């Protein structure tokens, strides 16, 4: 059998293949470029390795921003980006970083907790590589979308079974790359475990009074539009939930399960003196019922399949055809502000007060981008 073709055809095919590989490589490398943040006046930038040297000069080291008010008080920690596929968490932390003026106590903000998860995405899920916002001056702010897990370049090979070091609980091997299954962390463990240890050390060494870990969940997941609170945090969480209810923001209040290990709402409460809070908003990008997955879905939450699912009573959140970024960030922001008000009321010496952070109403009126600082 005689094969058809010429050396020229083979050369052209080789050039096309090399060109496609080069474009794919450039596209991949674009996600290794750090996002830009513009801290409000008063914030001091540090690196997480200042609290644990075991991640210094590694891809796990992530920026930490601290602002201290003129009036003494407590310390509050806001952490976004545990799971980069849950963008309202990172955007909410960024909102506080770029708008907050602390008048009492200290505010610590980490916008991208698992910064290694922002350096790749999940192509099999059809996820976008980035999301963007238009700022008040007409400019654009772009943030990476990322993946739920640490980049496998830094967590390879995954074990068949991940055994949580502090409890012995067994999980699928890939969960070793899930930051929120690795707490309280291990100082000589995998890079994700060392990252978890560094964040726990930050909470412990800074005597954080109230610590937020921000998340998103699928609309069909039972723990959504919810506060998950350690028993030490429950009284404060109940007060905040009642305040939010009066504002028209319904919030489920869930106790932290004692047998569900590795998560912030359990391990921070058990291994430090803080009051840990994990919060979930509803995001169709996280769900399995969604249609086309792109930047628009991440920003608007508009999906026809979820309209049908809501009509069939299959969702745990009210769904009118959208779950906008403004709504989701607004839920997180209003919730944090309610917690701060009640913290100052109940534990005055540990109080932390901030000004300038918009709530849901302002965000829905003007858009998230209006409150992000322009970047030259």
């Amino acid at each position: 059998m005689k094969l058809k073709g010429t050396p020229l055809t083979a050369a052209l095919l080789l050039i096309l293949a090399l060109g496609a590989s080069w474009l794919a490589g450039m596209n991949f490398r674009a996600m290794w470029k750090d996002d830009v943040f513009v801290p409000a006046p008063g914030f001091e930038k540090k690196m997480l390795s200042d609290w644990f040297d075991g991640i210094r000069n590694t891809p796990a080291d992530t920026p930490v921003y601290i602002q201290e008010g003129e009036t003494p008080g407590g310390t509050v920690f806001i952490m976004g980006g545990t799971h980069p596929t849950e963008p309202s968490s990172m955007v909410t932390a960024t909102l506080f970083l770029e708008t907050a003026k602390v008048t009492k106590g200290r505010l610590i903000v980490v916008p991208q907790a698992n910064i290694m998860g922002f350096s790749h995405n999940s192509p099999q899920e059809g996820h976008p590589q980035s999301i963007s916002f238009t700022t008040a001056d007409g400019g654009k702010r772009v943030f990476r979308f990322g993946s739920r897990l640490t980049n496998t370049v830094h967590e390879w090979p995954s074990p068949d079974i991940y055994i949580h070091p502090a409890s012995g609980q067994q999980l699928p091997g890939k969960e070793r790359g899930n930051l929120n299954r690795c707490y309280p962390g291990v100082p000589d463990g995998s890079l994700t475990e060392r990252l978890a240890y560094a964040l726990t050390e930050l909470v412990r060494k800074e005597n954080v009074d109230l610590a937020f870990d921000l998340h998103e969940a699928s609309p069909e997941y039972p723990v959504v539009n919810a506060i998950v609170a350690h028993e030490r945090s429950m009284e404060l969480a109940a007060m905040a939930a009642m305040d939010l209810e009066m504002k028209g923001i319904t919030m489920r209040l869930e106790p932290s399960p004692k047998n569900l290990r590795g998560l912030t709402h359990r391990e921070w409460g058990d291994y430090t003196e803080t009051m840990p809070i994990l919060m979930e908003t509803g995001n169709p990008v996280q769900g399995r019922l969604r249609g086309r997955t792109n930047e628009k879905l991440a920003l608007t939450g508009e999906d026809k399949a979820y309209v049908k699912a809501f009509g069939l009573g299959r969702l745990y959140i009210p769904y009118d055809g959208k779950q906008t970024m403004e709504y989701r960030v607004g839920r997180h922001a209003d919730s944090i502000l309610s917690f701060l008000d009640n913290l100052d009321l109940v534990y005055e010496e540990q109080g932390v007060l901030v000004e300038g952070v918009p709530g849901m109403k302002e965000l829905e009126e003007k858009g998230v981008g209006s409150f992000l600082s322009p970047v030259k």
Side-chain angles (χ1 to χ4, degrees):
M1 180 178 178
K2 187 176 181 180
L3 296 177
K4 295 181 179 181
T6 66
L8 179 60
T9 302
L12 288 173
L13 289 174
L14 179 59
I15 291 170
L16 287 173
L18 290 173
S21 299
W22 181 81
L23 288 172
M26 293 298 291
N27 196 32
F28 175 77
R29 286 291 297 172
M31 294 198 70
W32 289 65
K33 185 178 180 181
D34 289 339
D35 294 319
V36 175
F37 297 96
V38 186
F43 274 106
E44 179 184 3
K45 181 181 177 181
K46 296 180 177 291
M47 296 300 291
L48 184 58
S49 56
D50 293 338
W51 287 268
F52 172 57
D53 201 58
I55 62 166
R56 192 176 301 281
N57 298 321
T58 74
D61 207 1
T62 191
V64 178
Y65 301 89
I66 303 177
Q67 184 184 158
E68 187 166 355
E70 293 184 1
T71 304
T75 300
V76 166
F77 177 38
I78 298 175
M79 185 173 79
T82 292
H83 296 143
T85 51
E86 301 167 16
S88 82
S89 71
M90 181 273 294
V91 175
T92 303
T94 304
L95 185 74
F96 274 81
L97 175 63
E98 300 197 1
T99 63
K101 178 182 178 181
V102 180
T103 59
K104 178 181 179 180
R106 288 193 308 162
L107 179 63
I108 303 175
V109 180
V110 172
Q112 295 179 324
N114 190 355
I115 198 167
M116 298 179 290
F118 285 89
S119 65
H120 69 143
N121 72 343
S122 303
Q124 289 182 321
E125 293 285 351
H127 287 165
Q129 285 190 311
S130 64
I131 56 174
S132 62
F133 302 90
T134 301
T135 56
D137 69 341
K140 183 175 285 191
R141 294 287 300 276
V142 180
F143 300 96
R144 292 169 293 173
F145 191 84
S147 176
R148 179 177 176 84
L149 303 176
T150 293
N151 194 321
T152 51
V153 169
H154 312 305
E155 273 291 344
W156 186 89
S158 296
D160 293 331
I161 297 173
Y162 174 53
I163 300 176
H164 180 245
S167 66
Q169 187 176 69
Q170 296 186 10
L171 298 165
K174 67 177 183 179
E175 292 300 301
R176 193 182 69 177
N178 181 348
L179 176 59
N180 207 32
R181 296 298 181 274
C182 290
Y183 290 102
V186 183
D188 58 353
S190 73
L191 197 51
T192 309
E193 289 175 325
R194 282 183 277 155
L195 172 60
Y197 183 82
L199 288 161
T200 303
E201 284 293 276
L202 185 154
V203 171
R204 183 181 66 83
K205 290 180 178 179
E206 295 302 320
N207 297 313
V208 172
D209 297 290
L210 178 61
F212 295 97
D213 181 16
L214 306 179
H215 287 262
E216 298 198 278
S218 64
E220 65 268 32
Y221 181 62
V223 185
V224 62
N225 282 359
I227 296 169
V228 185
H230 188 273
E231 48 268 25
R232 189 184 303 121
S233 319
M234 188 55 73
E235 180 183 2
L236 192 64
M239 296 176 68
M242 287 189 289
D243 281 356
L244 291 166
E245 190 77 34
M246 293 177 66
K247 295 178 181 179
I249 301 174
T250 301
M251 187 72 78
R252 298 168 63 92
L253 181 55
E254 301 282 343
S256 171
K258 293 186 178 181
N259 61 350
L260 185 58
R261 301 300 301 275
L263 290 88
T264 51
H265 56 70
R266 170 50 46 195
E267 308 300 347
W268 282 354
D270 287 354
Y271 284 87
T272 77
E273 296 301 315
T274 196
M275 292 183 284
I277 295 292
L278 183 146
M279 294 195 298
E280 303 269 13
T281 62
N283 181 7
V285 170
Q286 301 302 110
R288 309 317 302 173
L289 305 179
R290 69 185 191 273
R292 186 176 181 181
T293 309
N294 52 21
E295 181 185 11
K296 180 181 177 183
L297 179 62
L299 293 175
T300 67
E302 295 179 3
D303 193 289
K304 295 178 181 178
Y306 276 105
V307 173
K308 294 181 180 179
F310 179 66
L312 294 170
R314 300 298 184 183
L315 305 186
Y316 287 89
I317 61 171
Y319 185 78
D320 62 356
K322 61 183 184 296
Q323 287 280 300
T324 67
M325 182 67 72
E326 284 72 20
Y327 175 76
R328 285 142 49 203
V329 172
R331 286 186 66 92
H332 276 330
D334 272 334
S335 298
I336 292 171
L337 294 172
S338 290
F339 267 98
L340 297 187
D341 288 342
N342 283 286
L343 178 69
D344 190 58
L345 178 67
V346 179
Y347 308 101
E348 187 175 355
E349 292 184 356
Q350 298 166 267
V352 175
L353 296 177
V354 301
E355 297 176 351
V357 179
M360 184 191 299
K361 183 178 179 181
E362 292 175 279
L363 288 164
E364 291 190 316
E365 286 178 354
K366 300 179 181 179
V368 167
S370 298
F371 297 96
L372 298 176
S373 299
V375 174
K376 294 182 181 180

